Amino acid sequence: MQWTNRQPFVRQPFVPPSLLDRLDRVRLRRAAQAFAGHGWAVAPGAVLTGPRFDCGRPGCPITGCHPAVDSLAESATTDPGRVAGWWRHRPHNVLLTTGDAFDVLEVPAALGRPVADRPDDTAGPVAVTAAGRWMFLVRPGCPLRAELDLRQDVIRHGQGSWIPAPPSRLVEGPVRWVIAPGQVGWALPDPERVQEMLAATVSRATGKPLVPRQLSTLRRAA
């Protein structure tokens, strides 16, 4: 017998699209219920269908990830009955509203990875998109430090904003946890501490010293 480095072809079992849809729906619903059970308000996002997102509104021109409800602020909830109802028939993405239970610091991988890779748990829950956007969940209300506020690739999601939560699916791929909430007991870190670590990464990359915290300004989430 001749050995090669080629792997043998193994035929994968056929999974009907309806079953895949159901599995996605169950996985997304369970995630939404877990978030709601810990007091994090959730809302349904548009369903990824091919290269665009379908929110169910006839003629909706939005092709990217967006809410599947008219008013996110009024619809987002922790009510288990409403959450179960939203995911009863469709695999909606899971959206987490920001500004109440937590804020989110969204940064590029060059800033996010060094902080999330620290051996301690000071970064708190961290999610990442397949496109390389790192999202740090922190206690709410703290404006951005000057070093971060000056950067166009850093966004603070506060009141009126939202993020897609794992295991939501975006065009580039699924959103996943780098540090899951359960790993840190669902505790949220001090936002100033996380910002200090992110700013230190900026300082090392640019060679510029950290700016005193009081010079920071607030930027609204885009």
Side-chain angles (χ1 to χ4, degrees):
M1 177 182 294
Q2 182 178 3
W3 292 90
T4 73
N5 61 0
R6 296 185 62 184
Q7 297 296 317
F9 172 75
V10 178
R11 185 179 298 278
Q12 298 298 317
F14 172 72
V15 181
S18 58
L19 179 57
L20 287 175
D21 181 87
R22 181 176 181 275
L23 293 173
D24 274 347
R25 178 166 48 82
V26 170
R27 183 167 60 250
L28 291 160
R29 184 187 67 213
R30 286 176 177 172
Q33 290 172 327
F35 298 140
H38 284 85
W40 295 2
V42 301
V47 177
L48 181 62
T49 305
R52 62 173 293 151
F53 293 83
D54 176 18
C55 65
R57 302 184 189 90
C60 178
I62 305 174
T63 59
C65 184
H66 63 286
V69 289
D70 291 328
S71 174
L72 189 68
E74 295 179 5
S75 298
T77 184
T78 59
D79 179 77
R82 290 184 63 192
V83 172
W86 279 329
W87 277 270
R88 184 166 291 125
H89 301 295
R90 302 196 71 195
H92 290 287
N93 277 332
V94 181
L95 306 186
L96 292 174
T97 56
T98 58
D100 293 318
F102 53 83
D103 284 350
V104 171
L105 304 174
E106 180 185 337
V107 302
L111 299 187
R113 184 177 289 111
V115 174
D117 283 349
R118 291 170 61 95
D120 52 32
D121 293 326
T122 53
V126 183
V128 65
T129 71
R133 299 294 293 175
W134 291 60
M135 298 180 290
F136 292 76
L137 280 65
V138 299
R139 294 199 295 269
C142 181
L144 284 175
R145 294 178 61 104
E147 301 97 324
L148 303 177
D149 190 49
L150 292 172
R151 295 180 62 108
Q152 295 301 309
D153 55 0
V154 173
I155 298 172
R156 170 181 172 257
H157 294 275
Q159 283 287 343
S161 190
W162 54 270
I163 62 164
S168 296
R169 292 187 300 122
L170 305 182
V171 173
E172 300 85 2
V175 184
R176 63 180 179 85
W177 289 112
V178 176
I179 302 175
Q183 291 178 240
V184 293
W186 293 81
L188 297 169
D190 176 11
E192 292 198 11
R193 174 59 178 150
V194 175
Q195 288 197 39
E196 182 181 10
M197 291 187 292
L198 293 170
T201 303
V202 174
S203 178
R204 287 193 295 270
T206 62
K208 297 179 180 179
L210 294 179
V211 176
R213 184 67 181 84
Q214 64 268 22
L215 295 183
S216 296
T217 57
L218 175 65
R219 184 205 300 178
R220 295 176 60 86

PDB file of all heavy atoms in Angstrom, residues 146-158:
ATOM      1  N   ALA A 146      -8.523  59.849  26.612  1.00  0.00           N
ATOM      2  CA  ALA A 146      -8.126  60.653  25.457  1.00  0.00           C
ATOM      3  C   ALA A 146      -7.422  59.810  24.392  1.00  0.00           C
ATOM      4  O   ALA A 146      -7.676  59.960  23.194  1.00  0.00           O
ATOM      5  CB  ALA A 146      -7.220  61.799  25.904  1.00  0.00           C
ATOM      6  N   GLU A 147      -6.516  58.878  24.824  1.00  0.00           N
ATOM      7  CA  GLU A 147      -5.782  58.072  23.850  1.00  0.00           C
ATOM      8  C   GLU A 147      -6.707  57.221  23.000  1.00  0.00           C
ATOM      9  O   GLU A 147      -6.422  56.945  21.837  1.00  0.00           O
ATOM     10  CB  GLU A 147      -4.771  57.138  24.556  1.00  0.00           C
ATOM     11  CG  GLU A 147      -3.756  57.861  25.401  1.00  0.00           C
ATOM     12  CD  GLU A 147      -4.193  57.876  26.860  1.00  0.00           C
ATOM     13  OE1 GLU A 147      -5.415  57.985  27.136  1.00  0.00           O
ATOM     14  OE2 GLU A 147      -3.306  57.777  27.719  1.00  0.00           O
ATOM     15  N   LEU A 148      -7.812  56.786  23.592  1.00  0.00           N
ATOM     16  CA  LEU A 148      -8.757  55.929  22.869  1.00  0.00           C
ATOM     17  C   LEU A 148      -9.780  56.766  22.109  1.00  0.00           C
ATOM     18  O   LEU A 148     -10.199  56.416  21.000  1.00  0.00           O
ATOM     19  CB  LEU A 148      -9.468  54.996  23.854  1.00  0.00           C
ATOM     20  CG  LEU A 148      -8.556  54.106  24.698  1.00  0.00           C
ATOM     21  CD1 LEU A 148      -9.376  53.288  25.696  1.00  0.00           C
ATOM     22  CD2 LEU A 148      -7.720  53.191  23.816  1.00  0.00           C
ATOM     23  N   ASP A 149     -10.190  57.878  22.688  1.00  0.00           N
ATOM     24  CA  ASP A 149     -11.203  58.724  22.058  1.00  0.00           C
ATOM     25  C   ASP A 149     -10.700  59.325  20.751  1.00  0.00           C
ATOM     26  O   ASP A 149     -11.487  59.618  19.849  1.00  0.00           O
ATOM     27  CB  ASP A 149     -11.597  59.838  23.030  1.00  0.00           C
ATOM     28  CG  ASP A 149     -12.815  60.608  22.560  1.00  0.00           C
ATOM     29  OD1 ASP A 149     -13.817  59.971  22.195  1.00  0.00           O
ATOM     30  OD2 ASP A 149     -12.763  61.847  22.527  1.00  0.00           O
ATOM     31  N   LEU A 150      -9.393  59.518  20.628  1.00  0.00           N
ATOM     32  CA  LEU A 150      -8.824  60.104  19.417  1.00  0.00           C
ATOM     33  C   LEU A 150      -8.753  59.109  18.252  1.00  0.00           C
ATOM     34  O   LEU A 150      -8.538  59.514  17.112  1.00  0.00           O
ATOM     35  CB  LEU A 150      -7.419  60.648  19.710  1.00  0.00           C
ATOM     36  CG  LEU A 150      -7.364  61.856  20.651  1.00  0.00           C
ATOM     37  CD1 LEU A 150      -5.912  62.178  21.005  1.00  0.00           C
ATOM     38  CD2 LEU A 150      -8.030  63.064  20.012  1.00  0.00           C
ATOM     39  N   ARG A 151      -8.935  57.838  18.543  1.00  0.00           N
ATOM     40  CA  ARG A 151      -8.814  56.805  17.513  1.00  0.00           C
ATOM     41  C   ARG A 151     -10.171  56.536  16.862  1.00  0.00           C
ATOM     42  O   ARG A 151     -11.180  56.370  17.550  1.00  0.00           O
ATOM     43  CB  ARG A 151      -8.257  55.511  18.105  1.00  0.00           C
ATOM     44  CG  ARG A 151      -6.831  55.641  18.630  1.00  0.00           C
ATOM     45  CD  ARG A 151      -6.380  54.306  19.200  1.00  0.00           C
ATOM     46  NE  ARG A 151      -6.367  53.250  18.182  1.00  0.00           N
ATOM     47  CZ  ARG A 151      -5.261  52.732  17.663  1.00  0.00           C
ATOM     48  NH1 ARG A 151      -4.074  53.185  18.035  1.00  0.00           N
ATOM     49  NH2 ARG A 151      -5.332  51.776  16.764  1.00  0.00           N
ATOM     50  N   GLN A 152     -10.184  56.455  15.544  1.00  0.00           N
ATOM     51  CA  GLN A 152     -11.420  56.172  14.818  1.00  0.00           C
ATOM     52  C   GLN A 152     -11.810  54.698  14.881  1.00  0.00           C
ATOM     53  O   GLN A 152     -12.946  54.335  14.562  1.00  0.00           O
ATOM     54  CB  GLN A 152     -11.277  56.604  13.357  1.00  0.00           C
ATOM     55  CG  GLN A 152     -11.108  58.099  13.172  1.00  0.00           C
ATOM     56  CD  GLN A 152     -12.283  58.873  13.737  1.00  0.00           C
ATOM     57  OE1 GLN A 152     -13.444  58.580  13.427  1.00  0.00           O
ATOM     58  NE2 GLN A 152     -11.988  59.859  14.574  1.00  0.00           N
ATOM     59  N   ASP A 153     -10.867  53.825  15.267  1.00  0.00           N
ATOM     60  CA  ASP A 153     -11.166  52.402  15.314  1.00  0.00           C
ATOM     61  C   ASP A 153     -11.554  51.921  16.711  1.00  0.00           C
ATOM     62  O   ASP A 153     -11.627  50.720  16.963  1.00  0.00           O
ATOM     63  CB  ASP A 153      -9.981  51.579  14.789  1.00  0.00           C
ATOM     64  CG  ASP A 153      -8.676  51.879  15.530  1.00  0.00           C
ATOM     65  OD1 ASP A 153      -8.681  52.716  16.454  1.00  0.00           O
ATOM     66  OD2 ASP A 153      -7.648  51.273  15.164  1.00  0.00           O
ATOM     67  N   VAL A 154     -11.797  52.863  17.625  1.00  0.00           N
ATOM     68  CA  VAL A 154     -12.258  52.528  18.971  1.00  0.00           C
ATOM     69  C   VAL A 154     -13.635  53.139  19.178  1.00  0.00           C
ATOM     70  O   VAL A 154     -13.846  54.329  18.934  1.00  0.00           O
ATOM     71  CB  VAL A 154     -11.277  53.041  20.052  1.00  0.00           C
ATOM     72  CG1 VAL A 154     -11.864  52.823  21.449  1.00  0.00           C
ATOM     73  CG2 VAL A 154      -9.928  52.347  19.923  1.00  0.00           C
ATOM     74  N   ILE A 155     -14.577  52.325  19.617  1.00  0.00           N
ATOM     75  CA  ILE A 155     -15.955  52.785  19.835  1.00  0.00           C
ATOM     76  C   ILE A 155     -16.400  52.391  21.233  1.00  0.00           C
ATOM     77  O   ILE A 155     -16.183  51.254  21.667  1.00  0.00           O
ATOM     78  CB  ILE A 155     -16.928  52.168  18.809  1.00  0.00           C
ATOM     79  CG1 ILE A 155     -16.560  52.594  17.392  1.00  0.00           C
ATOM     80  CG2 ILE A 155     -18.372  52.580  19.099  1.00  0.00           C
ATOM     81  CD1 ILE A 155     -17.359  51.883  16.313  1.00  0.00           C
ATOM     82  N   ARG A 156     -16.991  53.324  21.929  1.00  0.00           N
ATOM     83  CA  ARG A 156     -17.645  53.010  23.203  1.00  0.00           C
ATOM     84  C   ARG A 156     -19.138  52.913  22.945  1.00  0.00           C
ATOM     85  O   ARG A 156     -19.782  53.879  22.541  1.00  0.00           O
ATOM     86  CB  ARG A 156     -17.360  54.089  24.245  1.00  0.00           C
ATOM     87  CG  ARG A 156     -18.208  53.950  25.513  1.00  0.00           C
ATOM     88  CD  ARG A 156     -17.913  55.053  26.515  1.00  0.00           C
ATOM     89  NE  ARG A 156     -18.841  55.013  27.628  1.00  0.00           N
ATOM     90  CZ  ARG A 156     -19.877  55.842  27.781  1.00  0.00           C
ATOM     91  NH1 ARG A 156     -20.110  56.785  26.886  1.00  0.00           N
ATOM     92  NH2 ARG A 156     -20.666  55.725  28.827  1.00  0.00           N
ATOM     93  N   HIS A 157     -19.695  51.743  23.165  1.00  0.00           N
ATOM     94  CA  HIS A 157     -21.137  51.547  23.032  1.00  0.00           C
ATOM     95  C   HIS A 157     -21.784  51.809  24.386  1.00  0.00           C
ATOM     96  O   HIS A 157     -21.573  51.051  25.340  1.00  0.00           O
ATOM     97  CB  HIS A 157     -21.451  50.118  22.578  1.00  0.00           C
ATOM     98  CG  HIS A 157     -20.970  49.805  21.196  1.00  0.00           C
ATOM     99  ND1 HIS A 157     -21.713  50.101  20.067  1.00  0.00           N
ATOM    100  CD2 HIS A 157     -19.834  49.211  20.752  1.00  0.00           C
ATOM    101  CE1 HIS A 157     -21.060  49.701  18.990  1.00  0.00           C
ATOM    102  NE2 HIS A 157     -19.910  49.173  19.373  1.00  0.00           N
ATOM    103  N   GLY A 158     -22.551  52.905  24.462  1.00  0.00           N
ATOM    104  CA  GLY A 158     -23.252  53.248  25.690  1.00  0.00           C
ATOM    105  C   GLY A 158     -24.740  53.298  25.446  1.00  0.00           C
ATOM    106  O   GLY A 158     -25.304  52.476  24.722  1.00  0.00           O
TER     107      GLY A 158
END
